[in-house]
Amino acid sequence: MNTKNLYSVITGSGSYLPPVVVPNKKFVAQSFYNEDGTRIETPGEEIAEKFEQITDISERRIAEEKYTTSDIAAIAAEKALEDAGFDREKLDYIIIAHNLGDMKSGSLYPDIMPTLASRVKKKLGIKSHKAVAYDMTFGCPGWTQAMIQANYYLKSGDAKSALVIGADTLSRAMDPHDRDSMIFADGAGAVILEAVESDEPVGMLKHVTRTDTEEHLDLLMMGDSYNQELRHDQKYVKMLGRKVYNYGLTYVPLVAQECLEINNLTLKDVSKVLIHQANAKMDEAILKRIFRLYGEKEADFSTMPMTIRTLGNSSVATVPTLYDLVTKNQMEGHSLKSGDYVIMTSVGAGMNINAFMYKMP
């Protein structure tokens, strides 16, 4: 009697780190305004210094002007295909998570038709009509949610493989007069997910997702520039930073704990926490609270690799980029081996939070 079950396993990964580096000093001469339209008189050096203290971001990466989101998504996907040694014509699904489509440099127009997934499929030269391509818009947790969805396809037996990508160029949608514009960056990460038979659980395990709209719908949204002279039909990414911080700190630890419980695991079983790179101080506070839920007064920060200091917040790309860098031993002090449990979790616009457990094959 065959007792083996189907599991979704990552067989290859790739990421794209844009070569254009923007240090905090680039914002020193910028004119910033408050939400009410009043100008912030604090010296630029002080604003940049305080920003780094709060977020731990010293620099960020932005995409070259010649590239759109689907371009950098295709680059990361190409690397994942090569890493997996996978025949692209055998892909069943291509799912790309993003937020604002192919927003060209200098434009605020979110170009999303045709879908970015279809564009990526074309750029990868995939001819098979059976490779179904579609987009996922779920805020910063988009890639983790796309992984959860792809897992359903593979475990059902409906599909054998999926290319799951997270890519964004949010730096192009930021209000230049909003201090939060310093947080966001560009990037792309991708994985090849394949169905494998195993008599022991491996790869993607159980997940938890929640959406809170009653009180938290507009914590991240599109809105007017804080500079009233620029207020017109154009919209920019807006974030109520303190409220986002409080929301994440309140609910992400609970989602992580629930994810551990439904997988019959405890915090001590987890080797790495791959968390959305939103704000270093917020992520550290979240990890501390997760440890406290398990009676631990001190958090083990060695379980949480961080890229935000030099890469900034690249939205849906942060978690797959983390996975790619860690598994390829490109993050000092961090590695993964067979049998290790990894929790991947994210929080963002919606407001949405999700987490899934992954057991390294």
Side-chain angles (χ1 to χ4, degrees), residues 32 138 172 178 202 232 268 271 274 361:
F32 291 113
F138 199 69
R172 297 175 180 177
D178 182 350
V202 67
H232 40 62
K268 292 181 179 179
S271 297
L274 302 188

Side-chain angles (χ1 to χ4, degrees), residues 15 32 36 163 214 241:
S15 57
F32 291 113
D36 62 6
L163 167 60
E214 187 172 2

Side-chain angles (χ1 to χ4, degrees), residues 171-230:
S171 71
R172 297 175 180 177
M174 299 309 302
D175 175 4
H177 301 286
D178 182 350
R179 285 171 292 184
D180 285 336
S181 64
M182 293 188 282
I183 290 177
F184 292 99
D186 307 333
V191 300
I192 299 297
L193 203 61
E194 294 188 63
V196 301
E197 285 189 342
S198 176
D199 49 14
E200 295 288 337
V202 67
M204 290 190 68
L205 306 180
K206 295 180 180 179
H207 73 274
V208 176
T209 302
R210 67 180 288 158
T211 298
D212 297 284
T213 57
E214 187 172 2
E215 298 178 9
H216 307 289
L217 177 65
D218 293 328
L219 300 192
L220 274 156
M221 61 181 181
M222 302 301 291
D224 294 326
S225 171
Y226 288 168
N227 182 348
Q228 294 185 357
E229 293 182 3
L230 293 182

Side-chain angles (χ1 to χ4, degrees), residues 314-334:
S314 57
S315 184
V316 293
T318 65
V319 177
T321 297
L322 266 175
Y323 177 86
D324 183 51
L325 295 177
V326 171
T327 54
K328 291 179 179 172
N329 297 311
Q330 293 180 17
M331 294 195 70
E332 187 176 352
H334 295 284

Side-chain angles (χ1 to χ4, degrees), residues 2-9 154 157 160 194-202:
N2 186 3
T3 60
K4 291 186 177 182
N5 294 312
L6 285 172
Y7 294 95
S8 303
V9 171
L154 272 59
K160 293 181 179 180
E194 294 188 63
V196 301
E197 285 189 342
S198 176
D199 49 14
E200 295 288 337
V202 67

Side-chain angles (χ1 to χ4, degrees), residues 42-349:
T42 307
E45 293 85 353
E46 188 176 330
I47 290 175
E49 183 179 338
K50 187 173 182 181
F51 170 81
E52 185 168 343
Q53 290 174 354
I54 293 172
T55 65
D56 197 38
I57 298 173
S58 64
E59 60 187 36
R60 72 283 297 138
R61 303 291 187 96
I62 64 169
E64 303 97 307
E65 291 185 0
K66 64 181 180 179
Y67 287 148
T68 60
T69 301
S70 62
D71 288 328
I72 64 175
I75 294 171
E78 194 71 64
K79 292 180 179 180
L81 286 162
E82 182 180 352
D83 188 41
F86 190 85
D87 181 355
R88 65 194 67 201
E89 293 298 334
K90 293 182 178 179
L91 280 171
D92 293 307
Y93 284 93
I94 301 168
I95 311 172
I96 177 168
H98 65 89
N99 284 292
L100 294 172
D102 272 355
M103 186 175 284
K104 292 181 173 61
S105 180
S107 169
L108 286 172
Y109 181 77
D111 180 1
I112 57 173
M113 188 176 73
T115 64
L116 269 62
S118 289
R119 297 180 196 190
V120 168
K121 178 179 177 179
K122 175 75 171 179
K123 288 171 183 178
L124 293 176
I126 298 172
K127 297 178 175 57
S128 171
H129 66 275
K130 292 185 177 181
V132 178
Y134 68 91
D135 294 0
M136 166 75 72
T137 54
F138 199 69
C140 289
W143 180 82
T144 37
Q145 195 64 26
M147 288 287 285
I148 289 166
Q149 199 167 87
N151 182 44
Y152 277 113
Y153 294 138
L154 272 59
K155 285 186 70 68
S156 72
D158 178 65
K160 293 181 179 180
S161 64
L163 167 60
V164 186
I165 313 166
D168 258 323
T169 53
L170 285 192
S171 71
R172 297 175 180 177
M174 299 309 302
D175 175 4
H177 301 286
D178 182 350
R179 285 171 292 184
D180 285 336
S181 64
M182 293 188 282
I183 290 177
F184 292 99
D186 307 333
V191 300
I192 299 297
L193 203 61
E194 294 188 63
V196 301
E197 285 189 342
S198 176
D199 49 14
E200 295 288 337
V202 67
M204 290 190 68
L205 306 180
K206 295 180 180 179
H207 73 274
V208 176
T209 302
R210 67 180 288 158
T211 298
D212 297 284
T213 57
E214 187 172 2
E215 298 178 9
H216 307 289
L217 177 65
D218 293 328
L219 300 192
L220 274 156
M221 61 181 181
M222 302 301 291
D224 294 326
S225 171
Y226 288 168
N227 182 348
Q228 294 185 357
E229 293 182 3
L230 293 182
R231 293 194 172 179
H232 40 62
D233 291 338
Q234 302 286 12
K235 300 294 180 182
Y236 302 86
V237 173
K238 289 294 168 182
M239 178 174 65
L240 302 180
R242 172 53 59 177
K243 290 185 177 181
V244 170
Y245 181 98
N246 291 336
Y247 173 79
L249 191 57
T250 300
Y251 296 110
V252 174
L254 298 179
V255 169
Q257 183 183 42
E258 185 180 352
C259 186
L260 285 165
E261 289 177 350
I262 64 171
N263 283 286
N264 296 316
L265 298 170
T266 68
L267 192 56
K268 292 181 179 179
D269 296 313
V270 178
S271 297
K272 295 295 174 188
V273 177
L274 302 188
I275 190 169
H276 169 51
Q277 304 292 285
N279 172 321
K281 294 296 186 287
M282 183 175 88
D283 289 347
E284 289 168 2
I286 286 171
L287 192 69
K288 286 179 181 178
R289 192 160 289 192
I290 293 172
F291 271 81
R292 285 178 193 155
L293 289 174
Y294 287 88
E296 300 286 341
K297 292 182 180 180
E298 299 295 328
D300 181 3
F301 290 108
S302 69
T303 63
M304 187 175 71
M306 299 290 290
T307 57
I308 194 166
R309 181 166 181 77
T310 56
L311 299 185
N313 177 346
S314 57
S315 184
V316 293
T318 65
V319 177
T321 297
L322 266 175
Y323 177 86
D324 183 51
L325 295 177
V326 171
T327 54
K328 291 179 179 172
N329 297 311
Q330 293 180 17
M331 294 195 70
E332 187 176 352
H334 295 284
S335 61
L336 287 166
K337 63 183 185 301
S338 178
D340 282 351
Y341 286 101
V342 183
I343 187 168
M344 303 193 205
T345 182
S346 187
V347 55

